[in-house]
Amino acid sequence: MSDPDAVPVQDSVPVDEEVSPVVEETLDIDVEPAPATYVHQNSDDVTFVVMSAESVTFDLADSSPHLHLMEADIPYRNISIPIALVDAQALYNALHGVEGRRPGTHELASAIIRQLQVDIIAARILRVDQGVFYAEIDLMTPRGRERFDCRTSDAVILALRQGVPAPILCAQEVLDSFYS
């Protein structure tokens, strides 16, 4: 049974349309820091909170490792997401900037993303249902914006593997479900 929320949303520019060239300008503008909470307009006005990947831990008494995310702004709430052992290793390496002698799956995907001149806009945690977290990776490609359903661990690892790490966003209702 397919989940209608899990279908990738495509906001791309059709191939036959002409795209205007990019013009680079330098402007002197005083920019205030962006708030850590904002509304994402294409997901039914869902409010997302900026999170930071704090750590990955493995307790031998537990059946799986956990990814620990913390809210980037007050009240600094955190969530712990169970992930697979191999993803925990990949996440640890991404958090610490470790590159293997040969590229792993996430390192390869990151290299492909960079080579194709695609930017990861954000890794978004959309919802949690019966302990399963649902996420998407939001990309800006030369043809336009694309969003793909993915595992939370994959979204976070790819976001961290970028030259400038992409933001990790969590739906406010997901955080609220743990703190109500």
Side-chain angles (χ1 to χ4, degrees), residues 25-95:
E25 294 182 15
T26 303
L27 301 174
D28 291 328
I29 300 173
D30 291 331
V31 179
E32 294 183 27
T37 303
Y38 70 92
V39 176
H40 173 59
Q41 298 300 322
N42 292 333
S43 295
D44 299 323
D45 294 329
V46 175
T47 301
F48 288 93
V49 176
V50 177
M51 306 291 285
S52 63
E54 294 296 312
S55 65
V56 59
T57 59
F58 184 61
D59 181 358
L60 293 175
D62 197 354
S63 61
S64 64
H66 286 259
L67 161 61
H68 301 280
L69 299 175
M70 181 178 286
E71 198 170 4
D73 207 0
I74 295 173
Y76 303 114
R77 296 173 292 180
N78 59 63
I79 56 175
S80 180
I81 302 171
I83 59 176
L85 182 57
V86 68
D87 293 325
Q89 292 168 327
L91 184 59
Y92 178 87
N93 289 341
L95 276 168

Short mmCIF file of all heavy atoms in Angstrom, two decimals, residues 25-95:
data_model
loop_
_atom_site.label_atom_id
_atom_site.label_comp_id
_atom_site.label_asym_id
_atom_site.label_seq_id
_atom_site.Cartn_x
_atom_site.Cartn_y
_atom_site.Cartn_z
N GLU A 25 25.63 39.79 -8.67
CA GLU A 25 25.83 41.15 -8.22
C GLU A 25 26.23 41.11 -6.76
O GLU A 25 25.84 40.22 -6.03
CB GLU A 25 24.55 41.97 -8.35
CG GLU A 25 24.10 42.20 -9.77
CD GLU A 25 22.84 43.06 -9.82
OE1 GLU A 25 22.50 43.70 -8.80
OE2 GLU A 25 22.21 43.09 -10.86
N THR A 26 26.98 42.09 -6.36
CA THR A 26 27.31 42.23 -4.95
C THR A 26 26.54 43.41 -4.41
O THR A 26 26.63 44.52 -4.92
CB THR A 26 28.82 42.48 -4.77
OG1 THR A 26 29.53 41.41 -5.37
CG2 THR A 26 29.17 42.57 -3.29
N LEU A 27 25.74 43.15 -3.38
CA LEU A 27 24.93 44.19 -2.77
C LEU A 27 25.33 44.34 -1.31
O LEU A 27 25.58 43.36 -0.63
CB LEU A 27 23.44 43.83 -2.85
CG LEU A 27 22.86 43.63 -4.25
CD1 LEU A 27 21.43 43.15 -4.13
CD2 LEU A 27 22.91 44.91 -5.04
N ASP A 28 25.39 45.56 -0.84
CA ASP A 28 25.64 45.82 0.57
C ASP A 28 24.31 45.94 1.28
O ASP A 28 23.65 46.98 1.24
CB ASP A 28 26.46 47.10 0.75
CG ASP A 28 27.87 46.95 0.22
OD1 ASP A 28 28.39 45.82 0.31
OD2 ASP A 28 28.43 47.95 -0.25
N ILE A 29 23.89 44.85 1.92
CA ILE A 29 22.61 44.81 2.61
C ILE A 29 22.85 44.30 4.01
O ILE A 29 23.55 43.32 4.22
CB ILE A 29 21.63 43.85 1.89
CG1 ILE A 29 21.40 44.32 0.45
CG2 ILE A 29 20.32 43.77 2.64
CD1 ILE A 29 20.58 43.35 -0.37
N ASP A 30 22.25 44.98 4.98
CA ASP A 30 22.29 44.49 6.35
C ASP A 30 21.25 43.39 6.48
O ASP A 30 20.06 43.64 6.31
CB ASP A 30 21.98 45.61 7.35
CG ASP A 30 23.09 46.65 7.39
OD1 ASP A 30 24.25 46.26 7.13
OD2 ASP A 30 22.80 47.82 7.70
N VAL A 31 21.71 42.20 6.76
CA VAL A 31 20.82 41.05 6.84
C VAL A 31 20.75 40.59 8.29
O VAL A 31 21.77 40.35 8.92
CB VAL A 31 21.33 39.90 5.94
CG1 VAL A 31 20.41 38.71 6.05
CG2 VAL A 31 21.45 40.37 4.51
N GLU A 32 19.51 40.49 8.78
CA GLU A 32 19.33 39.95 10.12
C GLU A 32 19.34 38.43 10.02
O GLU A 32 18.95 37.86 9.02
CB GLU A 32 18.00 40.43 10.69
CG GLU A 32 17.96 41.92 10.94
CD GLU A 32 16.65 42.35 11.57
OE1 GLU A 32 16.02 41.53 12.25
OE2 GLU A 32 16.28 43.51 11.36
N PRO A 33 19.79 37.75 11.07
CA PRO A 33 19.79 36.31 11.03
C PRO A 33 18.38 35.77 10.82
O PRO A 33 17.41 36.32 11.35
CB PRO A 33 20.33 35.89 12.39
CG PRO A 33 20.73 37.13 13.09
CD PRO A 33 20.28 38.30 12.32
N ALA A 34 18.28 34.72 10.04
CA ALA A 34 16.98 34.10 9.78
C ALA A 34 16.47 33.45 11.05
O ALA A 34 17.25 32.90 11.83
CB ALA A 34 17.11 33.06 8.67
N PRO A 35 15.16 33.51 11.28
CA PRO A 35 14.63 32.84 12.47
C PRO A 35 14.79 31.34 12.35
O PRO A 35 14.86 30.79 11.25
CB PRO A 35 13.15 33.24 12.47
CG PRO A 35 12.85 33.58 11.05
CD PRO A 35 14.14 34.12 10.47
N ALA A 36 14.87 30.67 13.47
CA ALA A 36 15.06 29.23 13.47
C ALA A 36 13.77 28.49 13.16
O ALA A 36 13.77 27.29 13.02
CB ALA A 36 15.61 28.77 14.82
N THR A 37 12.66 29.20 13.08
CA THR A 37 11.38 28.59 12.75
C THR A 37 10.81 29.33 11.56
O THR A 37 10.83 30.54 11.51
CB THR A 37 10.40 28.71 13.94
OG1 THR A 37 11.00 28.11 15.08
CG2 THR A 37 9.08 28.05 13.64
N TYR A 38 10.31 28.59 10.59
CA TYR A 38 9.64 29.23 9.48
C TYR A 38 8.60 28.30 8.89
O TYR A 38 8.53 27.13 9.20
CB TYR A 38 10.64 29.68 8.41
CG TYR A 38 11.27 28.58 7.62
CD1 TYR A 38 10.72 28.14 6.44
CD2 TYR A 38 12.44 27.99 8.06
CE1 TYR A 38 11.31 27.14 5.72
CE2 TYR A 38 13.04 26.98 7.33
CZ TYR A 38 12.46 26.57 6.16
OH TYR A 38 13.05 25.58 5.46
N VAL A 39 7.73 28.88 8.06
CA VAL A 39 6.64 28.12 7.47
C VAL A 39 7.02 27.72 6.06
O VAL A 39 7.42 28.56 5.26
CB VAL A 39 5.33 28.94 7.46
CG1 VAL A 39 4.22 28.19 6.77
CG2 VAL A 39 4.93 29.30 8.88
N HIS A 40 6.92 26.44 5.77
CA HIS A 40 7.19 25.91 4.44
C HIS A 40 5.87 25.91 3.69
O HIS A 40 4.94 25.22 4.08
CB HIS A 40 7.76 24.51 4.58
CG HIS A 40 7.94 23.79 3.28
ND1 HIS A 40 8.73 24.28 2.28
CD2 HIS A 40 7.41 22.64 2.82
CE1 HIS A 40 8.70 23.44 1.26
NE2 HIS A 40 7.91 22.45 1.57
N GLN A 41 5.75 26.69 2.64
CA GLN A 41 4.46 26.94 1.99
C GLN A 41 3.88 25.75 1.23
O GLN A 41 2.69 25.69 1.03
CB GLN A 41 4.59 28.13 1.03
CG GLN A 41 4.97 29.41 1.72
CD GLN A 41 3.96 29.85 2.76
OE1 GLN A 41 2.77 29.70 2.57
NE2 GLN A 41 4.44 30.38 3.86
N ASN A 42 4.69 24.79 0.79
CA ASN A 42 4.18 23.71 -0.04
C ASN A 42 3.76 22.46 0.72
O ASN A 42 3.41 21.48 0.13
CB ASN A 42 5.24 23.32 -1.09
CG ASN A 42 5.43 24.43 -2.10
OD1 ASN A 42 4.54 25.21 -2.35
ND2 ASN A 42 6.62 24.49 -2.67
N SER A 43 3.81 22.46 2.02
CA SER A 43 3.42 21.30 2.80
C SER A 43 2.27 21.66 3.73
O SER A 43 2.32 21.47 4.93
CB SER A 43 4.59 20.75 3.61
OG SER A 43 5.58 20.27 2.76
N ASP A 44 1.21 22.23 3.14
CA ASP A 44 0.02 22.62 3.90
C ASP A 44 0.37 23.53 5.06
O ASP A 44 -0.13 23.37 6.17
CB ASP A 44 -0.72 21.37 4.39
CG ASP A 44 -1.21 20.50 3.25
OD1 ASP A 44 -1.63 21.04 2.23
OD2 ASP A 44 -1.16 19.28 3.41
N ASP A 45 1.23 24.50 4.81
CA ASP A 45 1.63 25.48 5.82
C ASP A 45 2.16 24.84 7.09
O ASP A 45 1.82 25.23 8.20
CB ASP A 45 0.47 26.43 6.14
CG ASP A 45 0.12 27.30 4.95
OD1 ASP A 45 1.03 27.59 4.16
OD2 ASP A 45 -1.05 27.67 4.82
N VAL A 46 3.02 23.85 6.93
CA VAL A 46 3.66 23.19 8.06
C VAL A 46 4.78 24.08 8.56
O VAL A 46 5.55 24.63 7.78
CB VAL A 46 4.24 21.82 7.63
CG1 VAL A 46 5.03 21.18 8.76
CG2 VAL A 46 3.13 20.90 7.17
N THR A 47 4.87 24.24 9.87
CA THR A 47 5.96 25.01 10.46
C THR A 47 7.11 24.07 10.74
O THR A 47 6.93 23.03 11.36
CB THR A 47 5.50 25.68 11.76
OG1 THR A 47 4.39 26.52 11.47
CG2 THR A 47 6.63 26.50 12.38
N PHE A 48 8.30 24.44 10.26
CA PHE A 48 9.50 23.64 10.48
C PHE A 48 10.44 24.37 11.43
O PHE A 48 10.52 25.59 11.42
CB PHE A 48 10.24 23.37 9.16
CG PHE A 48 9.53 22.39 8.28
CD1 PHE A 48 8.66 22.83 7.31
CD2 PHE A 48 9.73 21.04 8.44
CE1 PHE A 48 8.00 21.92 6.50
CE2 PHE A 48 9.08 20.13 7.64
CZ PHE A 48 8.21 20.57 6.66
N VAL A 49 11.14 23.59 12.23
CA VAL A 49 12.10 24.11 13.19
C VAL A 49 13.49 23.64 12.77
O VAL A 49 13.68 22.48 12.40
CB VAL A 49 11.77 23.58 14.61
CG1 VAL A 49 12.81 24.03 15.62
CG2 VAL A 49 10.38 24.00 15.03
N VAL A 50 14.46 24.55 12.82
CA VAL A 50 15.84 24.20 12.47
C VAL A 50 16.43 23.35 13.59
O VAL A 50 16.34 23.70 14.77
CB VAL A 50 16.70 25.47 12.25
CG1 VAL A 50 18.15 25.09 11.97
CG2 VAL A 50 16.12 26.31 11.12
N MET A 51 17.03 22.24 13.22
CA MET A 51 17.63 21.31 14.17
C MET A 51 19.12 21.18 13.85
O MET A 51 19.56 21.44 12.73
CB MET A 51 16.97 19.93 14.05
CG MET A 51 15.46 19.92 14.19
SD MET A 51 14.88 20.32 15.84
CE MET A 51 15.23 18.81 16.72
N SER A 52 19.88 20.71 14.83
CA SER A 52 21.28 20.39 14.58
C SER A 52 21.51 18.94 14.97
O SER A 52 20.93 18.45 15.94
CB SER A 52 22.22 21.32 15.35
OG SER A 52 22.03 21.15 16.73
N ALA A 53 22.33 18.26 14.18
CA ALA A 53 22.69 16.88 14.49
C ALA A 53 23.75 16.93 15.57
O ALA A 53 24.85 17.41 15.35
CB ALA A 53 23.20 16.17 13.24
N GLU A 54 23.41 16.46 16.75
CA GLU A 54 24.31 16.54 17.90
C GLU A 54 25.21 15.32 18.02
O GLU A 54 26.40 15.45 18.27
CB GLU A 54 23.50 16.71 19.19
CG GLU A 54 22.76 18.02 19.27
CD GLU A 54 23.69 19.21 19.29
OE1 GLU A 54 24.65 19.21 20.09
OE2 GLU A 54 23.45 20.15 18.51
N SER A 55 24.64 14.14 17.87
CA SER A 55 25.45 12.93 18.05
C SER A 55 24.70 11.72 17.53
O SER A 55 23.51 11.77 17.23
CB SER A 55 25.78 12.73 19.53
OG SER A 55 24.59 12.48 20.27
N VAL A 56 25.45 10.65 17.44
CA VAL A 56 24.87 9.34 17.17
C VAL A 56 25.42 8.42 18.27
O VAL A 56 26.61 8.44 18.56
CB VAL A 56 25.20 8.84 15.75
CG1 VAL A 56 26.68 8.73 15.51
CG2 VAL A 56 24.50 7.54 15.45
N THR A 57 24.52 7.67 18.89
CA THR A 57 24.94 6.82 20.00
C THR A 57 24.41 5.41 19.80
O THR A 57 23.41 5.19 19.12
CB THR A 57 24.42 7.36 21.36
OG1 THR A 57 22.99 7.41 21.32
CG2 THR A 57 24.99 8.72 21.67
N PHE A 58 25.11 4.47 20.44
CA PHE A 58 24.67 3.08 20.41
C PHE A 58 24.82 2.51 21.80
O PHE A 58 25.93 2.42 22.33
CB PHE A 58 25.48 2.27 19.40
CG PHE A 58 25.00 0.86 19.25
CD1 PHE A 58 23.72 0.59 18.81
CD2 PHE A 58 25.83 -0.21 19.57
CE1 PHE A 58 23.28 -0.71 18.67
CE2 PHE A 58 25.39 -1.51 19.43
CZ PHE A 58 24.12 -1.77 18.99
N ASP A 59 23.70 2.16 22.40
CA ASP A 59 23.67 1.55 23.72
C ASP A 59 23.52 0.05 23.50
O ASP A 59 22.58 -0.40 22.84
CB ASP A 59 22.49 2.11 24.51
CG ASP A 59 22.40 1.54 25.91
OD1 ASP A 59 23.23 0.68 26.28
OD2 ASP A 59 21.49 1.97 26.65
N LEU A 60 24.44 -0.73 24.03
CA LEU A 60 24.39 -2.18 23.82
C LEU A 60 23.11 -2.81 24.35
O LEU A 60 22.71 -3.89 23.91
CB LEU A 60 25.63 -2.84 24.43
CG LEU A 60 26.95 -2.49 23.76
CD1 LEU A 60 28.12 -3.10 24.52
CD2 LEU A 60 26.96 -2.94 22.31
N ALA A 61 22.45 -2.15 25.29
CA ALA A 61 21.20 -2.68 25.82
C ALA A 61 20.01 -2.39 24.90
O ALA A 61 18.93 -2.94 25.07
CB ALA A 61 20.93 -2.10 27.21
N ASP A 62 20.20 -1.52 23.92
CA ASP A 62 19.14 -1.15 22.99
C ASP A 62 19.36 -1.88 21.67
O ASP A 62 20.48 -2.27 21.34
CB ASP A 62 19.16 0.36 22.77
CG ASP A 62 17.88 0.89 22.16
OD1 ASP A 62 17.00 0.09 21.79
OD2 ASP A 62 17.75 2.12 22.04
N SER A 63 18.31 -2.04 20.89
CA SER A 63 18.44 -2.80 19.66
C SER A 63 18.99 -2.01 18.49
O SER A 63 19.38 -2.59 17.48
CB SER A 63 17.07 -3.38 19.26
OG SER A 63 16.16 -2.32 19.04
N SER A 64 19.01 -0.68 18.58
CA SER A 64 19.53 0.10 17.46
C SER A 64 20.17 1.40 17.94
O SER A 64 19.84 1.91 19.00
CB SER A 64 18.40 0.42 16.47
OG SER A 64 17.42 1.24 17.07
N PRO A 65 21.08 1.93 17.12
CA PRO A 65 21.69 3.24 17.43
C PRO A 65 20.63 4.34 17.32
O PRO A 65 19.56 4.15 16.74
CB PRO A 65 22.75 3.41 16.35
CG PRO A 65 22.90 2.09 15.71
CD PRO A 65 21.64 1.35 15.92
N HIS A 66 20.97 5.52 17.84
CA HIS A 66 20.05 6.65 17.78
C HIS A 66 20.77 7.90 17.29
O HIS A 66 21.89 8.18 17.69
CB HIS A 66 19.48 6.94 19.18
CG HIS A 66 18.47 5.94 19.61
ND1 HIS A 66 17.12 6.16 19.55
CD2 HIS A 66 18.61 4.69 20.09
CE1 HIS A 66 16.48 5.09 19.99
NE2 HIS A 66 17.37 4.18 20.32
N LEU A 67 20.08 8.62 16.43
CA LEU A 67 20.51 9.94 15.97
C LEU A 67 19.87 10.95 16.91
O LEU A 67 18.67 10.90 17.15
CB LEU A 67 20.03 10.18 14.54
CG LEU A 67 19.98 11.61 14.03
CD1 LEU A 67 21.36 12.25 14.04
CD2 LEU A 67 19.37 11.65 12.64
N HIS A 68 20.68 11.85 17.48
CA HIS A 68 20.18 12.86 18.40
C HIS A 68 20.19 14.21 17.72
O HIS A 68 21.26 14.69 17.30
CB HIS A 68 21.02 12.90 19.68
CG HIS A 68 21.02 11.59 20.40
ND1 HIS A 68 19.99 11.17 21.21
CD2 HIS A 68 21.92 10.57 20.41
CE1 HIS A 68 20.25 9.97 21.69
NE2 HIS A 68 21.43 9.59 21.20
N LEU A 69 19.01 14.80 17.58
CA LEU A 69 18.86 16.13 16.99
C LEU A 69 18.40 17.10 18.07
O LEU A 69 17.57 16.74 18.92
CB LEU A 69 17.82 16.12 15.86
CG LEU A 69 18.11 15.22 14.67
CD1 LEU A 69 16.92 15.22 13.71
CD2 LEU A 69 19.36 15.65 13.96
N MET A 70 18.93 18.33 18.03
CA MET A 70 18.53 19.35 18.99
C MET A 70 18.07 20.59 18.26
O MET A 70 18.66 20.98 17.24
CB MET A 70 19.69 19.72 19.92
CG MET A 70 19.28 20.77 20.97
SD MET A 70 20.60 21.18 22.11
CE MET A 70 20.62 19.71 23.11
N GLU A 71 17.03 21.20 18.79
CA GLU A 71 16.50 22.45 18.26
C GLU A 71 17.60 23.50 18.31
O GLU A 71 18.32 23.62 19.31
CB GLU A 71 15.30 22.85 19.11
CG GLU A 71 14.39 23.84 18.51
CD GLU A 71 13.11 24.00 19.32
OE1 GLU A 71 12.96 23.38 20.39
OE2 GLU A 71 12.26 24.75 18.86
N ALA A 72 17.75 24.27 17.23
CA ALA A 72 18.83 25.26 17.15
C ALA A 72 18.56 26.52 17.96
O ALA A 72 19.45 27.33 18.16
CB ALA A 72 19.08 25.63 15.69
N ASP A 73 17.34 26.69 18.44
CA ASP A 73 16.96 27.89 19.17
C ASP A 73 16.22 27.49 20.44
O ASP A 73 15.81 26.33 20.60
CB ASP A 73 16.07 28.76 18.28
CG ASP A 73 16.14 30.24 18.61
OD1 ASP A 73 16.89 30.62 19.53
OD2 ASP A 73 15.45 31.01 17.93
N ILE A 74 16.04 28.42 21.33
CA ILE A 74 15.32 28.17 22.58
C ILE A 74 13.94 27.63 22.23
O ILE A 74 13.32 28.14 21.32
CB ILE A 74 15.22 29.48 23.41
CG1 ILE A 74 16.62 29.91 23.82
CG2 ILE A 74 14.31 29.33 24.61
CD1 ILE A 74 16.68 31.25 24.50
N PRO A 75 13.46 26.58 22.85
CA PRO A 75 13.82 25.97 24.13
C PRO A 75 14.77 24.78 24.01
O PRO A 75 14.90 24.03 24.96
CB PRO A 75 12.47 25.53 24.69
CG PRO A 75 11.67 25.17 23.49
CD PRO A 75 12.12 26.13 22.41
N TYR A 76 15.44 24.61 22.88
CA TYR A 76 16.45 23.56 22.69
C TYR A 76 15.91 22.15 22.97
O TYR A 76 16.55 21.35 23.63
CB TYR A 76 17.69 23.82 23.56
CG TYR A 76 18.32 25.16 23.31
CD1 TYR A 76 18.32 26.14 24.30
CD2 TYR A 76 18.90 25.46 22.08
CE1 TYR A 76 18.90 27.38 24.06
CE2 TYR A 76 19.46 26.70 21.85
CZ TYR A 76 19.46 27.65 22.84
OH TYR A 76 20.03 28.88 22.61
N ARG A 77 14.73 21.88 22.43
CA ARG A 77 14.18 20.54 22.58
C ARG A 77 14.99 19.58 21.71
O ARG A 77 15.64 19.99 20.75
CB ARG A 77 12.71 20.51 22.15
CG ARG A 77 11.83 21.37 23.04
CD ARG A 77 10.44 21.47 22.52
NE ARG A 77 10.45 22.23 21.26
CZ ARG A 77 9.36 22.48 20.55
NH1 ARG A 77 8.19 22.03 20.95
NH2 ARG A 77 9.43 23.18 19.44
N ASN A 78 14.96 18.30 22.05
CA ASN A 78 15.70 17.33 21.25
C ASN A 78 14.85 16.11 21.01
O ASN A 78 13.88 15.84 21.72
CB ASN A 78 17.03 16.97 21.91
CG ASN A 78 16.83 16.38 23.28
OD1 ASN A 78 16.23 15.33 23.42
ND2 ASN A 78 17.33 17.05 24.30
N ILE A 79 15.21 15.41 19.96
CA ILE A 79 14.55 14.14 19.65
C ILE A 79 15.64 13.11 19.36
O ILE A 79 16.74 13.44 18.94
CB ILE A 79 13.56 14.24 18.46
CG1 ILE A 79 14.23 14.78 17.20
CG2 ILE A 79 12.36 15.07 18.83
CD1 ILE A 79 13.33 14.79 15.98
N SER A 80 15.30 11.88 19.61
CA SER A 80 16.20 10.76 19.37
C SER A 80 15.51 9.83 18.37
O SER A 80 14.40 9.37 18.61
CB SER A 80 16.45 10.03 20.70
OG SER A 80 17.31 8.95 20.50
N ILE A 81 16.19 9.57 17.26
CA ILE A 81 15.61 8.79 16.17
C ILE A 81 16.39 7.50 16.01
O ILE A 81 17.60 7.53 15.77
CB ILE A 81 15.65 9.59 14.85
CG1 ILE A 81 14.89 10.91 15.03
CG2 ILE A 81 15.09 8.77 13.70
CD1 ILE A 81 15.04 11.87 13.87
N PRO A 82 15.70 6.34 16.14
CA PRO A 82 16.42 5.07 15.93
C PRO A 82 16.81 4.92 14.46
O PRO A 82 16.03 5.23 13.57
CB PRO A 82 15.41 4.01 16.35
CG PRO A 82 14.09 4.68 16.44
CD PRO A 82 14.31 6.15 16.51
N ILE A 83 18.04 4.47 14.23
CA ILE A 83 18.54 4.27 12.87
C ILE A 83 19.27 2.94 12.79
O ILE A 83 19.62 2.36 13.82
CB ILE A 83 19.45 5.43 12.41
CG1 ILE A 83 20.66 5.58 13.34
CG2 ILE A 83 18.68 6.74 12.32
CD1 ILE A 83 21.66 6.64 12.90
N ALA A 84 19.53 2.48 11.59
CA ALA A 84 20.26 1.22 11.38
C ALA A 84 21.74 1.40 11.73
O ALA A 84 22.28 2.51 11.66
CB ALA A 84 20.12 0.77 9.94
N LEU A 85 22.39 0.33 12.10
CA LEU A 85 23.79 0.38 12.50
C LEU A 85 24.68 0.93 11.39
O LEU A 85 25.54 1.78 11.63
CB LEU A 85 24.28 -1.00 12.93
CG LEU A 85 25.73 -1.08 13.43
CD1 LEU A 85 25.95 -0.13 14.60
CD2 LEU A 85 26.09 -2.50 13.82
N VAL A 86 24.50 0.47 10.17
CA VAL A 86 25.33 0.96 9.06
C VAL A 86 25.11 2.46 8.84
O VAL A 86 26.04 3.20 8.52
CB VAL A 86 25.07 0.14 7.77
CG1 VAL A 86 23.68 0.37 7.20
CG2 VAL A 86 26.14 0.42 6.73
N ASP A 87 23.86 2.95 9.04
CA ASP A 87 23.59 4.37 8.92
C ASP A 87 24.22 5.16 10.06
O ASP A 87 24.66 6.29 9.88
CB ASP A 87 22.08 4.63 8.88
CG ASP A 87 21.44 4.07 7.62
OD1 ASP A 87 22.10 4.09 6.56
OD2 ASP A 87 20.29 3.60 7.69
N ALA A 88 24.27 4.55 11.24
CA ALA A 88 24.92 5.19 12.39
C ALA A 88 26.40 5.41 12.10
O ALA A 88 26.96 6.47 12.40
CB ALA A 88 24.74 4.36 13.65
N GLN A 89 27.04 4.43 11.49
CA GLN A 89 28.45 4.57 11.13
C GLN A 89 28.64 5.67 10.09
O GLN A 89 29.54 6.50 10.19
CB GLN A 89 29.01 3.24 10.63
CG GLN A 89 29.08 2.19 11.72
CD GLN A 89 29.35 0.80 11.17
OE1 GLN A 89 28.93 0.45 10.08
NE2 GLN A 89 30.06 0.00 11.97
N ALA A 90 27.77 5.68 9.07
CA ALA A 90 27.85 6.71 8.03
C ALA A 90 27.57 8.09 8.61
O ALA A 90 28.21 9.08 8.24
CB ALA A 90 26.86 6.40 6.90
N LEU A 91 26.63 8.17 9.54
CA LEU A 91 26.30 9.45 10.17
C LEU A 91 27.45 9.94 11.04
O LEU A 91 27.80 11.13 11.02
CB LEU A 91 25.03 9.30 11.00
CG LEU A 91 24.50 10.56 11.65
CD1 LEU A 91 24.20 11.62 10.60
CD2 LEU A 91 23.25 10.26 12.43
N TYR A 92 28.05 9.04 11.79
CA TYR A 92 29.22 9.41 12.61
C TYR A 92 30.32 9.98 11.72
O TYR A 92 30.91 11.02 12.02
CB TYR A 92 29.72 8.20 13.39
CG TYR A 92 30.95 8.51 14.23
CD1 TYR A 92 30.81 9.01 15.51
CD2 TYR A 92 32.23 8.34 13.71
CE1 TYR A 92 31.93 9.33 16.28
CE2 TYR A 92 33.35 8.64 14.45
CZ TYR A 92 33.20 9.14 15.74
OH TYR A 92 34.30 9.46 16.48
N ASN A 93 30.59 9.30 10.61
CA ASN A 93 31.63 9.77 9.68
C ASN A 93 31.27 11.13 9.09
O ASN A 93 32.14 11.99 8.94
CB ASN A 93 31.86 8.75 8.58
CG ASN A 93 32.56 7.51 9.09
OD1 ASN A 93 33.18 7.52 10.15
ND2 ASN A 93 32.43 6.41 8.36
N ALA A 94 29.99 11.34 8.75
CA ALA A 94 29.57 12.64 8.20
C ALA A 94 29.69 13.74 9.24
O ALA A 94 30.15 14.85 8.93
CB ALA A 94 28.13 12.55 7.69
N LEU A 95 29.32 13.45 10.49
CA LEU A 95 29.42 14.44 11.56
C LEU A 95 30.87 14.86 11.81
O LEU A 95 31.14 16.01 12.16
CB LEU A 95 28.84 13.88 12.87
CG LEU A 95 27.34 14.00 13.06
CD1 LEU A 95 26.89 13.16 14.25
CD2 LEU A 95 26.92 15.44 13.23
#
